[in-house]
Amino acid sequence: MKKILGLILAVGLMLGALPARAEYPDKAITCIVPFAPGGAADITVRMVADYLSKEIGQPLVIVNKGGGSGIPA
């Protein structure tokens, strides 16, 4: 009897949480490039970001964090 009540309670909690789910992504996505701007990695990420932002419907913000062999990024 306790197992059945526990199962009913668990299903009820899961069904109650469904409307709270948001569509992903619901805001801009930050893409960190571990090298200085203008390099090959930066140009490649910017080309991919244009395509990807059209596909997902959200803008991609590219942040360059150069120096330290990419460790700060």
Side-chain angles (χ1 to χ4, degrees):
M1 185 67 175
K2 286 185 179 183
K3 288 183 181 181
I4 293 173
L5 288 175
L7 180 63
I8 292 172
L9 179 63
V11 170
L13 288 173
M14 287 190 315
L15 290 176
L18 287 178
R21 191 184 87 190
E23 290 295 322
Y24 179 81
D26 58 349
K27 58 183 178 180
I29 297 173
T30 302
C31 181
I32 299 174
V33 180
F35 302 105
D42 182 49
I43 294 169
T44 304
V45 169
R46 290 184 190 277
M47 288 190 307
V48 172
D50 288 338
Y51 171 75
L52 190 59
S53 66
K54 292 176 187 173
E55 287 292 318
I56 62 175
Q58 293 292 332
L60 264 73
V61 179
I62 300 172
V63 177
N64 294 90
K65 294 194 175 193
S69 298
I71 294 172

